[in-house]
Every structure is written in C-alpha cells, then in structure tokens.
Amino acid sequence: MAAAEDKDGNRRLVFLGAPGSGKGTQAQLLAEHLRVPAISTGEMLRAAKAAGTPLGRRVGEIMQKGLLVDDDTMADVVRDRLSQDDARQGFILDGYPRTAVQVETLEELLHELGTEIDAVVTLHVDEEELLQRALARNRQDDTEEIIRERLAVYHRQTEPLVAHYRQAGKLVEVDGMGTVGEVARRLTEALAR
Ligand code: AP5
C-alpha cells in the first residue's frame, strides 16, 4: 500500500529543537501519520547503551554529561540507519543534525542517496517549560544539572542551524507550547502551508 503523504509531499523531515521541546513526541505522531520511520538519534544511542554494544559503551559517559557525541560517530550511526529499506520512502530525523558539520554530512549523505530534506521543523517552547517537561520524565540524563548542560549545548552548537535552514527556505517554525494535541494540530497546519 502506498504510504500516506501530507498535502505538500513532505516526507523527509528534520526536527530541530531544544531538549524537552517535544520534538520526539511530535516526530513520532507525524511519522505514524505519514507512515515513515521516526529516527531519533538519542533513542538509538540509548538503545546501544542499554544493550552494552561497543557504540553504547563509547557514548554512555558523554550522554550522561549532557554533551554531544562526536560528529564522526554520529555520521556512521545516521548513514547506517538512512540506508535501511524502510527509510527509502521518507523519514523523520529527530535530533540530527545538531552541529554545522552534521548539516554537511547529512547533505552529502542524502545527495548519495539521491534525495534531500523537504522541511526542517523547529518547536518554540519557553525555557522554564523545557526544564519542567524533562524533569517530569525522569530519564537517566534528566537531572536538573544535566538538562541545563544539554540546554547550554543546544544554544551553543545547535541553535545556529535554525538560521541556516531559514536561509535555505526549509524552516517551519511552530509554537510548541500547549498540549501535545494542540502542538500536533499547529504542526500539521504549518506543514500544509
Ligand atoms: P535526545 O534524546 O535527542 O535528547 P534531547 O535533545 O535532549 O531531547 P529530549 O528527548 O530531552 O526532548 P524532546 O524535544 O525529544 O522532547 P520529548 O518529546 O521527549 O539526545 C540525548 C543525547 O544523545 C544528547 O544529549 C547527546 O548526548 C546524544 N545525541 C543525540 N543525537 C545526537 C547528535 N545528533 N549528535 C551528537 N549527540 C547526539 O518530550 C519531553 C517530555 O515532555 C516527555 O516526557 C513528553 O512526554 C513531554 N511532552 C512533550 N510534549 C509535551 C507537551 N506539549 N506538553 C507537555 N508535555 C509534553
């Protein structure tokens, strides 16, 4: 059966946003609707860590400090995942790219695969709400100190990518405050514009 598609054919999306902004939640919902895989690099690394793989052992401490895993490691992770069959008809990348080098790697990788990103979604959420959402979740890297470090890393290394994608005409900005349903509705409307 043909996969669903939104009105404008957005099937290759990136979700870019601060920790706790709800990108994982919204990426999952939209991926189900579009019938494409939601690819969360954070989830993939946590799974590797839980399974005790060589990758998991290498990245565990870095994640626990709220820092970013190095770009070369992330390039391998994303290349492997995007090359899998289920990503051929589309995907939602949640949490990648996060650095200027990762932007270039993704562009190269998609070029090799003969495709490109349709849109980059960013969710805007107040800083206090970000903290409260993450603290309410109780993940291993969700202590206040680590969340604040992840936020600082986001502002330093990832936020500048928003301007890059805006300039490229790919950015879709969505108000991420309110309930999950409200944000999902705004997101669908914004992508249809
Ligand atoms: P990652 O898992 O990507 O963590 P993050 O960016 O810190 O994002 P979060 O998962 O905290 O938040 P989210 O925006 O996805 O929000 P969510 O939907 O979960 O990465 C973890 C680590 O992996 C990184 O720190 C780094 O070390 C490493 N890593 C990953 N990718 C990397 C890369 N590309 N390069 C280098 N290193 C990388 O929502 C948060 C909570 O809020 C949930 O409990 C949810 O239920 C709730 N919630 C969601 N929406 C709402 C709403 N509207 N109202 C109320 N609650 C809500």
Side-chain angles (χ1 to χ4, degrees):
M1 195 196 299
E5 189 167 301
D6 89 342
K7 196 169 120 216
D8 291 332
N10 287 313
R11 306 192 49 77
R12 290 175 182 81
L13 302 170
V14 162
F15 273 58
L16 190 69
S21 61
K23 55 190 185 303
T25 304
Q26 296 298 330
Q28 198 67 46
L29 288 173
L30 187 62
E32 281 164 24
H33 173 67
L34 296 175
R35 283 186 263 156
V36 297
I39 301 175
S40 158
T41 44
E43 284 297 328
M44 288 168 74
L45 297 176
R46 273 188 292 281
K49 195 175 152 191
T53 65
L55 168 68
R57 286 199 296 276
R58 212 162 69 235
V59 301
E61 205 178 317
I62 300 166
M63 293 174 75
Q64 204 48 42
K65 287 182 182 159
L67 302 175
L68 293 185
V69 173
D70 68 278
D71 292 329
D72 287 344
T73 299
M74 293 313 299
D76 291 342
V77 168
V78 170
R79 180 176 290 107
D80 280 359
R81 184 63 188 87
L82 287 182
S83 305
Q84 288 173 25
D85 279 353
D86 66 340
R88 251 194 242 159
Q89 302 300 319
F91 52 80
I92 299 187
L93 260 180
D94 159 23
Y96 189 95
R98 270 168 138 107
T99 66
V101 171
Q102 292 182 11
V103 169
E104 277 179 39
T105 303
L106 182 61
E107 272 163 25
E108 282 165 20
L109 182 54
L110 293 178
H111 183 72
E112 281 167 28
L113 294 169
T115 187
E116 59 177 322
I117 290 297
D118 296 317
V120 176
V121 173
T122 188
L123 300 172
H124 294 292
V125 175
D126 297 347
E127 196 115 339
E128 191 50 36
E129 173 76 8
L130 294 174
L131 192 66
Q132 292 315 318
R133 285 186 190 176
L135 280 175
R137 179 174 52 184
N138 257 337
R139 205 167 72 192
Q140 236 190 356
D141 59 346
D142 276 343
T143 66
E144 181 162 348
E145 193 189 347
I146 303 170
I147 298 164
R148 287 201 187 280
E149 182 59 35
R150 296 213 308 275
L151 270 169
V153 167
Y154 171 76
H155 289 310
R156 202 165 53 237
Q157 290 179 268
T158 308
E159 207 171 21
L161 309 189
V162 169
H164 167 82
Y165 284 118
R166 185 180 291 122
Q167 208 171 1
K170 304 239 174 195
L171 193 68
V172 176
E173 300 188 69
V174 177
D175 175 4
M177 297 292 285
T179 66
V180 170
E182 285 164 351
V183 179
R185 207 160 34 249
R186 273 182 225 131
L187 172 60
T188 310
E189 285 167 7
L191 283 172
R193 256 176 242 138

